[in-house]
Amino acid sequence: MSTGNEAPATWLSQDAFDRLQGELDELIANRPVIAAEINARREEGDLRENGGYHAAREEQGKAEGRILYLKELLRTAKVGGAPTADVVSPGMVVTIFFDDDKDDTETFLLGSREIAATTDLTVYSPESALGKAILGGRPGQTCTYTAPSGADIKVTVVSFEPFSG
């Protein structure tokens, strides 16, 4: 039984997974370099007026945040192609048209922004306004969502298929 608290699965191609794992490995390997920089700056004296020390600490915080994010993403990611489904779901390449203009179409991947580097497709998150509106949609279904500008936008699902990476 689903509690509704689970995040949708993040589907990554093997290439995207490997690229993110490489980034994580590089960040972890760089930890001693950042620590050494902090120690070197600390030895310069008064920490209140030591911009280099504060910059190194900020860099360390950003790196550690990214490490935590990547560890969790890679731990929970599903690698390979998204399962086929009869409704729009994460991991699908979706084509929609805007308002009632069948010539005003857009094709994009509904998935994690982390996969964007591995495809030429635009990637929309399932948590985005558009993503939430079309999740569970079928071809021919019309949905409306509120854009960040505050405008209500009507879209119709034309088609979808699993992302093959």
Side-chain angles (χ1 to χ4, degrees):
M1 181 172 129
S2 174
T3 62
N5 292 0
E6 298 90 17
T10 299
W11 290 93
L12 297 174
S13 66
Q14 187 64 54
D15 182 55
F17 183 89
D18 293 345
R19 183 181 52 78
L20 293 171
Q21 183 65 56
E23 179 186 348
L24 175 61
D25 294 344
E26 188 176 311
L27 287 167
I28 290 172
N30 198 36
R31 279 176 164 163
V33 173
I34 295 173
E37 177 71 14
I38 290 170
N39 282 337
R41 298 298 180 188
R42 184 181 296 129
E43 291 175 7
E44 291 175 358
D46 188 356
L47 296 181
R48 291 173 295 170
E49 297 179 15
N50 188 331
Y53 171 79
H54 295 290
R57 292 284 300 178
E58 185 174 326
E59 180 183 345
Q60 180 186 41
K62 287 179 184 176
E64 290 302 317
R66 183 72 176 160
I67 287 170
L68 290 174
Y69 172 78
L70 288 173
K71 279 184 175 181
E72 183 63 13
L73 175 67
L74 295 172
R75 184 184 69 77
T76 60
K78 308 284 188 222
V79 179
T84 58
D86 58 352
V87 296
V88 174
S89 57
M92 297 279 182
V93 176
V94 183
T95 301
I96 59 171
F97 65 81
F98 292 91
D99 296 317
D100 291 315
D101 183 355
K102 292 184 179 183
D103 293 326
D104 185 8
T105 65
E106 182 175 5
T107 299
F108 56 88
L109 173 62
L110 186 64
S112 167
R113 297 222 185 258
E114 296 297 335
I115 203 167
T118 66
T119 179
D120 291 334
L121 289 169
T122 300
V123 179
Y124 288 105
S125 166
E127 291 82 30
S128 69
L130 173 59
K132 287 178 184 176
I134 64 170
L135 268 177
R138 299 183 188 300
Q141 183 172 348
T142 299
C143 313
T144 302
Y145 70 96
T146 302
S149 66
D152 285 336
I153 299 175
K154 185 168 84 170
V155 297
T156 302
V157 176
V158 175
S159 64
F160 57 87
E161 63 185 39
F163 176 63
S164 60

